[in-house]
Amino acid sequence: HTTDGGATWVEQTSGTTGDSFYGIEVSGWSNAWVVGDLGALLYTSNAGQSWTQQSTNTIHTLLGISFADRDNGWAVGDAGELIHTGNGGALWTRMPSGVSNVLFGVHFNDVANGWIVGENGLILRTTDGGAVWLQQSSGTSSALFNIHFLDRSTGYCTGANGAILKTT
């Protein structure tokens, strides 16, 4: 945790032992979710002073998480795992991603429009909140780890072997 723009950092404890965390989503000044090993998903509503474990109903490691608003979130991970919440994480349910690839990153601009990236250059896109995912051509076979869209058209991906992709 930092309060000075990253000049200094203070370690905060999650209250769990043995878990590694791979993804984080922050909403406002006080709400954050982290995802990790074997379906671990923790939430804080007080800027990390305390963390609560949320049940994900999966044993797959989760690698990325994105919230479109305070209620609607998606997390992705190993073996094509995709989970969704519509109530801020009180209940997470599994959704079909349509793939078995490792999914590393997810980003939603709003509750309808989202993207997922994964191994072998995989990019998936939804325009209906994740009910249907369509594969998009990335032009690479490198694993893609992170994705972010500025709006519905302009987005960036990063990945293995120096991959940096942009779409307009």
Side-chain angles (χ1 to χ4, degrees):
H1 177 226
T2 184
T3 58
D4 58 11
T8 59
W9 289 86
V10 177
E11 185 175 353
Q12 293 181 298
T13 180
S14 67
T16 65
T17 58
D19 290 325
S20 291
F21 298 106
Y22 305 104
I24 186 168
E25 175 73 353
V26 177
S27 175
W29 289 99
S30 58
N31 298 300
W33 295 261
V34 296
V35 292
D37 287 339
L38 303 173
L41 196 153
L42 302 180
Y43 168 71
T44 182
S45 61
N46 58 13
Q49 297 304 308
S50 62
W51 294 86
T52 303
Q53 186 150 358
Q54 294 182 333
S55 177
T56 61
N57 299 310
T58 184
I59 60 167
H60 292 286
T61 294
L62 298 172
L63 301 166
I65 186 166
S66 177
F67 271 76
D69 56 35
R70 185 180 163 106
D71 292 324
N72 291 282
W74 295 260
V76 297
D78 286 345
E81 190 67 67
L82 170 63
I83 60 174
H84 172 259
T85 183
N87 56 14
L91 176 65
W92 288 88
T93 56
R94 295 175 85 182
M95 298 181 76
S97 68
V99 298
S100 59
N101 300 57
V102 175
L103 304 176
F104 293 109
V106 59
H107 178 78
F108 272 78
N109 275 358
D110 55 48
V111 296
N113 295 284
W115 297 263
I116 294 173
V117 292
E119 65 182 348
N120 301 319
L122 179 73
I123 300 177
L124 301 174
R125 180 175 186 211
T126 186
T127 58
D128 60 8
V132 175
W133 291 90
L134 299 175
Q135 193 162 341
Q136 297 188 300
S137 176
S138 68
T140 184
S141 60
S142 294
L144 297 174
F145 299 126
N146 217 328
I147 187 164
H148 186 81
F149 271 74
L150 303 175
D151 54 37
R152 288 187 189 176
S153 302
T154 307
Y156 298 86
C157 295
T158 59
N161 303 314
I164 301 173
L165 307 177
K166 179 184 179 182
T167 186
T168 56

